[in-house]
C-alpha cells in the first residue's frame, strides 16, 4: 500500500471544516471539562486564527491521504515558525473511520515526515490526549518520545507536613532564574527554545509576579525550614475543572524523603479550599515522570517529539 499526500483544495477544506471543529471541540469537552458551546466557539476561533487564508495560509500544510483513488485520511502539519519556532507540529492526523487499523495512520505520518525532511525540517512534535491509547502506541512505534505530560488526579482531602509560605518578588525572581537556566523545557515544552522564551511563558502564567491573581508562588516549608517551592494556579477558562501545577521543586539535599509528595498535598489542600475538583501537574523529564507515577497521577495529555 502506498499513501500519497495531496494538497486540499479550498472546497475540500470547507467540506472538512465542521468535522475538524467538532473533533477539536469534543476533545476540549471530554478532556478539559469545557461546555460544548464554549468548546465549539473556542475551536472555531483557534482554527480561524491558525488558517487565516485557508489552504493558502503560509506554513500550513493541509493534505488528504490517498491510496490510489481512495481518500483514506487527513494530515495537517504546521511548519516551524507557526505553532513552534523550532519544530514542525502535527495539528491533526485522522484516518477515515471505515479505513482504520490498516496502517494508513503510520503511512500518512511517514509520508508527512519524509516531506519535512525534504524541506530541511529536523524535528516534529504533536499533542495527544491520555485516553487516546491507540494513537499513543502508534506514535511510540514510530519513534516519537515524550517531551512533557499533564498528569492529573482528583483532589482529595490530604494530610501534609509541608506549609506553603508567600514569596517575595526577588525570591520568585531567583527561583524563576533557576528554572529558566536549568530546566527551561518545563515552561517552554520545546527543548530548542531559548531561555527568553521560558521567561515569556512565565510572564503569561504569572503576569504580575507574586501578586498575580489566582496564582500561588509559595515556599515549601518543613520543620521551619524552606525545602523547595511550588507554582500553581486555580483553573482558567481553558480547563475549568483542573488546577495547574506549573512547577515544583524539592531542593536537592531534601529529596527522596517524602517532601515532594507532601508539597503536592499542600497544593491539593489549597485546591480543596477553593473547591477545585482535579489537579494537574505538568512534568518534563524522567525524574518527574517517576515521581508522578509514584503519586498515581494519570496521563491526561502529552506532547511528543521526534528528531527526523
Ligand atoms: C520531582 C521532585 C519534586 C520529587 O521530590 P522528592 O521530595 O524527592 O519526592 P518524594 O520523596 O516525596 O517522593 C515521592 C514518591 O516519588 C518517588 N520518586 C521521587 N523522585 C524519584 C526519582 N527520581 N526516581 C524514582 N522515584 C522517585 C519516590 O520514590 C516516592 O515514591 P514512594 O512514596 O512510593 O516511595 C524532586 O525530585 C525535584 O524537585 N526535582 C527537580 C524539579 C522537578 O523535576 N520538578 C517536577 C516537575 S514540575
Amino acid at each position: 500500500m502506498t499513501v500519497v499526500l495531496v494538497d486540499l483544495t479550498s472546497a475540500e477544506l470547507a467540506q472538512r471544516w465542521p468535522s475538524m471543529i467538532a473533533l477539536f471541540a469534543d476533545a476540549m469537552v471530554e478532556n478539559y471539562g469545557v461546555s460544548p458551546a464554549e468548546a465549539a466557539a473556542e475551536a472555531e476561533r483557534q482554527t480561524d486564527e491558525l488558517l487565516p487564508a485557508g489552504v493558502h495560509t503560509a506554513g500550513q500544510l493541509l493534505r488528504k491521504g490517498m491510496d490510489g483513488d481512495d481518500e483514506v485520511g487527513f494530515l495537517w502539519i504546521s511548519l516551524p515558525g507557526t505553532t513552534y519556532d523550532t519544530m514542525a507540529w502535527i495539528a491533526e492526523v485522522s484516518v477515515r473511520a471505515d479505513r482504520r487499523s490498516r496502517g494508513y495512520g503510520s503511512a500518512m505520518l511517514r509520508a508527512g515526515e519524509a516531506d519535512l525532511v525534504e524541506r530541511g525540517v529536523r524535528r516534529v512534535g504533536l499533542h495527544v490526549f491520555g485516553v487516546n491509547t491507540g494513537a499513543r502506541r502508534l506514535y511510540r512505534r514510530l519513534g516519537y518520545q515524550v517531551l512533557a505530560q499533564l498528569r492529573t488526579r482528583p483532589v482529595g482531602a490530604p494530610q501534609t507536613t509541608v506549609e506553603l509560605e508567600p514569596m517575595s518578588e526577588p525570591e520568585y525572581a531567583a527561583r524563576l532564574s533557576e528554572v529558566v537556566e536549568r530546566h527551561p523545557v518545563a515552561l517552554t515544552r520545546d527543548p530548542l527554545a531559548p531561555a527568553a522564551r521560558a521567561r515569556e511563558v512565565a510572564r503569561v502564567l504569572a503576569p504580575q509576579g507574586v501578586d498575580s491573581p489566582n496564582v500561588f508562588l509559595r515556599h515549601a516549608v518543613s520543620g521551619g525550614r524552606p525545602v523547595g517551592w511550588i507554582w500553581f494556579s486555580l483553573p482558567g477558562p481553558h480547563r475549568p475543572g483542573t488546577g495547574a501545577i506549573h512547577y515544583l521543586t524539592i531542593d536537592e539535599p531534601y529529596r527522596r524523603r517524602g517532601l515532594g509528595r507532601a508539597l503536592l498535598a499542600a497544593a491539593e489542600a489549597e485546591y480543596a479550599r477553593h473547591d477545585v475538583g482535579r489537579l494537574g501537574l505538568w512534568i518534563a523529564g524522567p525524574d518527574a515522570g517517576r515521581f508522578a507515577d509514584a503519586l498515581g497521577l494519570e496521563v491526561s495529555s502529552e506532547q511528543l517529539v521526534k528528531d527526523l
Side-chain angles (χ1 to χ4, degrees):
M1 165 249 297
T2 315
V3 169
V4 177
L5 299 175
V6 177
D7 288 345
L8 238 54
T9 62
S10 294
E12 286 168 333
L13 176 60
Q15 203 177 21
R16 174 164 288 281
W17 192 267
S19 71
M20 284 163 73
I21 300 297
L23 190 74
F24 191 178
D26 286 352
M28 276 192 247
V29 172
E30 193 183 329
N31 294 283
Y32 298 155
V34 182
S35 77
E38 280 174 65
E42 184 59 20
E44 189 89 38
R45 193 191 65 73
Q46 286 191 30
T47 311
D48 268 338
E49 198 175 283
L50 282 168
L51 298 173
V55 294
H56 305 297
T57 308
Q60 303 291 346
L61 308 175
L62 295 145
R63 276 109 169 241
K64 52 187 177 179
M66 301 296 297
D67 180 4
D69 290 338
D70 191 23
E71 182 175 339
V72 296
F74 172 62
L75 179 65
W76 171 10
I77 297 185
S78 305
L79 290 176
T82 58
T83 301
Y84 282 87
D85 281 339
T86 58
M87 61 179 154
W89 187 252
I90 296 174
E92 187 182 330
V93 51
S94 54
V95 173
R96 270 174 55 177
D98 55 355
R99 301 289 194 284
R100 291 192 184 153
S101 304
R102 301 184 197 177
Y104 286 129
S106 308
M108 285 200 303
L109 286 165
R110 286 211 176 89
E113 290 169 7
D115 174 62
L116 289 173
V117 169
E118 272 179 33
R119 292 167 188 266
V121 176
R122 308 302 315 164
R123 175 170 272 228
V124 59
L126 59 85
H127 171 271
V128 60
F129 289 106
V131 291
N132 200 348
T133 46
R136 291 171 62 203
R137 247 195 331 270
L138 163 68
Y139 299 135
R140 277 168 175 70
R141 217 165 42 226
L142 290 174
Y144 286 77
Q145 292 186 341
V146 175
L147 181 65
Q149 288 179 326
L150 177 64
R151 306 282 296 252
T152 67
R153 72 158 139 76
V155 167
Q159 298 286 313
T160 180
T161 53
V162 162
E163 283 155 46
L164 300 181
E165 289 187 3
M167 261 185 189
S168 68
E169 202 62 50
E171 286 165 341
Y172 166 54
R175 286 299 199 175
L176 180 61
S177 289
E178 273 172 37
V179 181
V180 167
E181 277 152 35
R182 289 200 212 153
H183 203 197
V185 73
L187 291 172
T188 62
R189 293 182 211 127
D190 174 355
L192 300 177
R197 174 77 196 124
R199 289 198 181 274
E200 272 171 35
V201 173
R203 270 194 295 277
V204 172
L205 295 176
Q208 296 162 45
V210 295
D211 296 323
S212 307
N214 301 328
V215 175
F216 300 80
L217 287 154
R218 297 287 187 267
H219 291 293
V221 175
S222 173
R225 262 186 319 212
V227 295
W229 74 292
I230 187 162
W231 176 2
F232 61 103
S233 306
L234 295 181
H238 295 315
R239 252 184 232 101
T242 306
I245 301 174
H246 307 295
Y247 198 73
L248 65 86
T249 299
I250 294 298
D251 295 330
E252 264 176 57
Y254 302 109
R255 286 185 193 164
R256 307 304 293 268
R257 301 183 190 179
L259 289 169
R261 185 185 283 274
L263 176 54
L264 194 90
E268 194 169 356
E270 191 67 46
Y271 280 139
R273 278 193 283 280
H274 287 86
D275 292 324
V276 174
R278 218 170 162 81
L279 66 85
L281 173 68
W282 280 102
I283 61 164
D287 276 0
R290 286 191 281 270
F291 175 66
D293 287 343
L295 269 67
L297 293 158
E298 287 166 17
V299 179
S300 167
S301 70
E302 60 187 3
Q303 184 175 325
L304 307 177
V305 290
K306 178 174 177 177
D307 288 324
L308 299 170

